[in-house]
Amino acid sequence: MAETRHRASRQRQAKIMTAAAGSAGRAAVPLLLCALLAPSAAYVLDDSAGLGREFDGIGAVSGGGATSRLLINYSEPYRSEILDYLFKPNFGASLHILKVEIGGDGQTTDGTEPSHMHYTLDENYFRGYEWWLMKEAKKRNPDIILIGLPWSFPGWLGKGFNWPYVNLELTAYYIVSWILGAKRYHDLDIDYIGIWNERSFDSNYIKVLRRMLNVQGLQKVKIIASDNLWEPISTSMLLDSALWKVIDVIGAHYPGTHTVRDAQLTQKKLWSSEDFSTLNSDVGAGCWGRILNQNYINGYMTSTIAWNLVASYYEQLPYGRCGLMTAQEPWSGHYVVESPIWVTAHTTQFTQPGWYYLKTVGHLEKGGSYVALTDGFGNLTIIVETMSHKHSTCIRPFLPYYNVSHQLATFTLKGSFSDIPELQVWYTKLAKPLERTLFKQLDSLWLLDSGGRFTLDLQEDELFTLTTLTTGRKGSHPLPPKSQSFPLSYKDDFNVDYPFFSEPPNFADQTGVFEYYTNIEDKGEHRYTLRQVLNQRPITWTADAANTISIIGDYHWSNLTIQCDVYIETLNRGGVFIAGRVNKGGILIRSARGVFFWIFSNGSFRVTGDLAGWMTYTAGSVEVTAKVWYTLTLIIKGSLSSGMLNGKPLWTNIHVNYPKNGWAAIGTHSFEFAQFDNFHVEATRS
């Protein structure tokens, strides 16, 4: 029996090295001879001298901003399938952490997310989709860690200033209300709370926030600061013991796998609290695989959180397809499980928060790295990556050149791991299509007679997980429907009495917030409408436009007719528009070009070539006033454009040579109340 086990061990050793070299095609015997004759670098994995830092998990961000906007519009079963790939344990990405934006009504990269308090006395904990997303994540993984972080804030907190720290108690109350609302209305326990994404922190505010959390019985909610750079927060903590006491985690963004001395001197947990934000191609997957290991090896970071969770926003917005997977076609049901999902699985499916890194981790001799983690009860997971420079460059920061080459790496298990009999093996190769392999389980590796030693034949752009856990799985659902463009004919009358979400499908707010609205006194056609609900500029995170705007449709639309009923609520100064060929959004929204058809309550109209109104094609007087419904029609065909008011031509054949294509849009002249109804687009693509 012993001889049988010994022979099986040798055979499986040969199999694992054959598979490790890439795809099938290399013979076992030559490779085994290569491994026996060629020199190999030696690495020891040992817990005899104690363990390294506690592992806090791998996660992703929904928000910053509106990055999950289109996900909620998917029909079943596709929406649930996408969520499974993100959150379901031992299935796909199996994320440990979900970080969401605390909506603040402002533009925060790809759109705006609504606040739970637009105004001082206004509280509504059912706006937006982050509540729903957190519940769906919890439904799949009850142990998932939840984090909230504000990017922008509603304007009333600033008291006329674009600054959230004017009244520290008021801002702390606003944030604590969000945490309490999560529990009261959705039974969600928020685990961590942040300060202000990538902006200034106020030491006194952080202390006030901690006191208010404690007063409200939220002692278990921990504080992350400052979600920007390692400095100046680290130095501030070393110089201020009261500040040091109330901060639980130092979170830095895009640290390039490195930290700074002062951050380590604080002896606090160090996280890469936002990272990745890279196109989810195989190069992006290589970026993600490299930093998941090296953030700890180089910078002692015990958690890495990707921006963003799922690319579920119009692709031509900034940072298109920079999510772990892609789900940007709710109208077709199509989605793509991109390679970063399976790179994530190499770590998340075989570790959990509360495990510990070994002290014996590091870089491979000829490029790449290895980490090892244990649960302290005999389980061990080893992750090895050999991502090349060319195929693992992240969007930021700059990556200094390094080289990765073919190598043999011999690992020896010592300490409490020396008697491990078997390791499960999972393998990824990011390469040309014929060699590409994503999260494939190979034959297990038997160590019964090897003295805890095994050798891996490592090529460029490979990822191995070797683990005692047997629960790993490459989950799958039936293939989703094929990709389709946004419908050329699209209508929405907003006739929803009790909407499940506050925003209608497919509209992506870029400045301002557009919500379903019920006119209680209107018993006719316009009882249910879409309303722009902000009348005050928010405390901005980026350069929001002076006008509010929501885009929809296909960026490639060229010839189109847009019709919409509009209702100006502001006397004398109010104005609304419909638009086509809108060519920019997100953080670039201020410079959006297109064809914009405006009417104003002072009895005038304008046609402009940009959202800001610097380029006027034509203008004039018109019989328009506030508190009356009008129907606007915008026709764009080739280089000519015409417009109608209530079905009658108002201007015809204006030359509009640029841009050639873009989204449709609606909006208001300023932050003002206005309503829209019976939206209709007929379009053709260029």
Side-chain angles (χ1 to χ4, degrees):
M1 184 67 177
E3 176 60 25
T4 302
R5 288 203 309 266
H6 180 67
R7 185 166 57 251
S9 176
R10 286 182 299 173
Q11 291 172 345
R12 295 187 186 217
Q13 181 82 350
K15 282 184 178 181
I16 182 64
M17 290 192 298
T18 302
S23 303
R26 289 172 111 179
V29 174
L31 185 59
L32 184 57
L33 289 174
C34 175
L36 292 172
L37 298 175
S40 64
Y43 309 94
V44 175
L45 299 174
D46 192 356
D47 62 349
S48 300
L51 299 174
R53 296 194 176 206
E54 182 180 6
F55 174 65
D56 294 308
I58 305 302
V61 181
S62 172
T67 53
S68 305
R69 176 66 190 92
L70 298 176
L71 176 60
I72 58 172
N73 304 339
Y74 271 81
S75 61
E76 296 294 350
Y78 312 118
R79 188 168 68 180
S80 289
E81 292 172 1
I82 295 164
L83 294 165
D84 285 348
Y85 283 116
L86 295 168
F87 300 118
K88 189 175 180 179
N90 301 312
F91 190 86
S94 306
L95 293 169
H96 304 135
I97 299 170
L98 173 60
K99 180 177 181 178
V100 304
E101 177 178 350
I102 300 175
D105 295 336
Q107 168 61 244
T108 55
T109 298
D110 290 295
T112 67
E113 298 202 25
S115 170
H116 60 289
M117 296 179 71
H118 292 319
Y119 309 105
T120 309
L121 301 178
D122 163 68
E123 290 188 57
N124 185 327
Y125 298 93
F126 295 92
R127 294 188 182 116
Y129 38 85
E130 303 296 4
W131 313 106
W132 164 81
L133 185 61
M134 287 188 283
K135 287 188 288 188
E136 291 294 326
K138 277 284 186 183
K139 186 188 300 182
R140 287 160 175 79
N141 177 9
D143 296 323
I144 197 165
I145 296 165
L146 299 178
I147 304 174
L149 175 66
W151 269 251
S152 64
F153 296 83
W156 59 271
L157 286 171
K159 304 290 185 180
F161 296 92
N162 197 46
W163 189 245
Y165 306 130
V166 174
N167 185 321
L168 304 184
E169 286 76 14
L170 194 62
T171 298
Y173 164 77
Y174 168 80
I175 295 297
V176 171
S177 295
W178 184 86
I179 299 172
L180 293 171
K183 182 63 176 178
R184 179 177 179 182
Y185 296 100
H186 303 284
D187 196 26
L188 292 168
D189 293 302
I190 304 301
D191 299 288
Y192 292 86
I193 197 72
I195 306 306
W196 190 12
N197 183 77
E198 295 177 357
R199 297 295 181 262
S200 300
F201 66 90
D202 183 294
S203 296
N204 290 326
Y205 166 71
I206 299 174
K207 298 170 191 175
V208 168
L209 177 61
R210 178 73 270 168
R211 286 199 299 270
M212 193 171 292
L213 287 167
N214 293 345
V215 167
Q216 294 295 328
L218 298 170
Q219 290 87 352
K220 291 184 178 180
V221 178
K222 298 178 181 179
I223 291 178
I224 305 175
S226 65
D227 279 297
N228 196 358
L229 305 175
W230 295 119
E231 297 290 9
I233 188 66
S234 299
T235 301
S236 298
M237 291 171 66
L238 293 174
L239 296 175
D240 185 342
S241 60
L243 180 65
W244 180 91
K245 186 177 180 180
V246 300
I247 293 175
D248 300 279
V249 175
I250 301 178
H253 288 193
Y254 307 96
T257 76
H258 294 281
T259 184
V260 298
R261 181 173 177 271
D262 280 356
Q264 295 183 38
L265 287 175
T266 65
Q267 298 184 323
K268 294 289 186 177
K269 288 179 177 291
L270 308 177
W271 288 10
S272 177
S273 54
E274 184 178 314
D275 220 323
F276 182 60
S277 72
T278 300
L279 183 70
N280 56 25
S281 62
D282 278 8
V283 173
C287 153
W288 186 230
R290 176 174 53 79
I291 65 179
L292 284 180
N293 267 20
Q294 296 194 28
N295 274 349
Y296 182 75
I297 294 167
N298 299 337
Y300 299 105
M301 286 165 265
T302 54
S303 177
T304 298
I305 300 174
W307 188 90
N308 57 70
L309 173 72
V310 52
S312 204
Y313 47 101
Y314 292 115
E315 186 170 341
Q316 292 79 14
L317 289 168
Y319 305 101
R321 271 189 55 202
C322 283
L324 296 180
M325 64 180 291
T326 303
Q328 58 192 21
E329 291 186 20
W331 47 87
S332 71
H334 179 73
Y335 62 86
V336 183
V337 186
E338 310 280 7
S339 48
I341 288 288
W342 304 117
V343 167
T344 308
H346 271 276
T347 298
T348 54
Q349 288 202 23
F350 310 107
T351 60
Q352 287 297 323
W355 284 42
Y356 281 83
Y357 285 98
L358 301 193
K359 290 181 178 179
T360 51
V361 300
H363 293 274
L364 298 170
E365 186 176 279
K366 294 186 178 180
S369 66
Y370 63 97
V371 295
L373 301 95
T374 181
D375 64 353
F377 298 101
N379 283 310
L380 175 69
T381 291
I382 306 160
I383 304 131
V384 181
E385 62 83 18
T386 57
M387 300 304 163
S388 64
H389 185 279
K390 182 178 180 181
H391 294 114
S392 72
T393 301
C394 305
I395 197 170
R396 66 173 78 87
F398 172 76
L399 180 63
Y401 180 76
Y402 65 89
N403 185 56
V404 176
S405 58
H406 175 223
Q407 58 193 304
L408 297 176
T410 297
F411 294 86
T412 302
L413 306 185
K414 291 189 175 182
S416 67
F417 310 119
S418 59
D419 295 327
I420 289 176
E422 180 182 10
L423 292 172
Q424 308 295 312
V425 183
W426 291 82
Y427 174 70
T428 286
K429 172 74 170 180
L430 301 172
K432 297 176 182 177
L434 292 179
E435 300 176 353
R436 187 173 185 256
T437 303
L438 294 177
F439 198 59
K440 180 181 180 181
Q441 186 169 17
L442 307 180
D443 287 339
S444 59
L445 180 62
W446 285 82
L447 306 175
L448 288 173
D449 306 296
S450 69
R453 184 179 295 107
F454 61 91
T455 298
L456 295 180
D457 184 359
L458 301 173
Q459 306 282 353
E460 291 184 8
D461 301 314
E462 292 183 331
L463 194 60
F464 281 93
T465 297
L466 303 101
T467 180
T468 56
L469 298 183
T470 59
T471 52
R473 177 188 171 201
K474 187 174 184 179
S476 65
H477 285 296
L479 288 176
K482 292 183 179 180
S483 175
Q484 294 181 21
S485 299
F486 195 95
L488 293 175
S489 178
Y490 186 83
K491 296 180 180 180
D492 196 335
D493 59 13
F494 313 115
N495 288 349
V496 182
D497 197 353
Y498 296 100
F500 192 67
F501 296 106
S502 60
E503 300 147 296
N506 304 322
F507 280 90
D509 302 347
Q510 300 301 303
T511 298
V513 174
F514 295 73
E515 297 179 349
Y516 282 118
Y517 183 68
T518 302
N519 290 306
I520 299 175
E521 297 179 358
D522 190 325
K523 306 299 182 182
E525 182 183 2
H526 301 297
R527 180 172 176 82
Y528 301 107
T529 67
L530 182 65
R531 192 188 196 207
Q532 201 294 117
V533 297
L534 301 187
N535 65 1
Q536 184 177 11
R537 187 179 182 84
I539 296 172
T540 58
W541 183 78
T542 188
D544 293 29
N547 330 87
T548 73
I549 177 173
S550 187
I551 63 171
I552 189 170
D554 190 329
Y555 187 80
H556 299 100
W557 278 349
S558 178
N559 298 332
L560 69 166
T561 298
I562 307 167
Q563 187 172 91
C564 188
D565 298 341
V566 299
Y567 184 85
I568 303 170
E569 296 190 38
T570 303
L571 298 173
N572 301 321
R573 296 179 295 105
V576 298
F577 69 83
I578 61 173
R581 294 187 183 174
V582 178
N583 71 342
K584 291 182 182 178
I587 53 177
L588 306 175
I589 189 61
R590 287 172 68 97
S591 58
R593 297 282 299 274
V595 182
F596 295 81
F597 176 17
W598 311 74
I599 61 169
F600 300 92
S601 58
N602 64 3
S604 64
F605 79 93
R606 292 181 68 200
V607 183
T608 66
D610 62 329
L611 176 62
W614 293 103
M615 303 172 58
T616 300
Y617 289 128
T618 187
S621 299
V622 66
E623 293 185 5
V624 166
T625 185
K627 309 291 185 179
V628 176
W629 281 98
Y630 299 96
T631 300
L632 301 185
T633 304
L634 173 63
I635 304 165
I636 310 172
K637 188 172 183 179
S639 61
L640 298 176
S641 177
S642 303
M644 294 187 288
L645 176 67
N646 292 338
K648 297 180 179 180
L650 188 59
W651 45 277
T652 56
N653 294 334
I654 297 291
H655 280 271
V656 288
N657 294 318
Y658 181 85
K660 300 297 184 182
N661 53 271
W663 296 290
I666 58 174
T668 65
H669 180 246
S670 63
F671 287 93
E672 61 185 90
F673 298 133
Q675 296 179 54
F676 304 83
D677 203 359
N678 299 319
F679 178 83
H680 181 195
V681 178
E682 295 288 339
T684 60
R685 282 179 292 275
S686 57

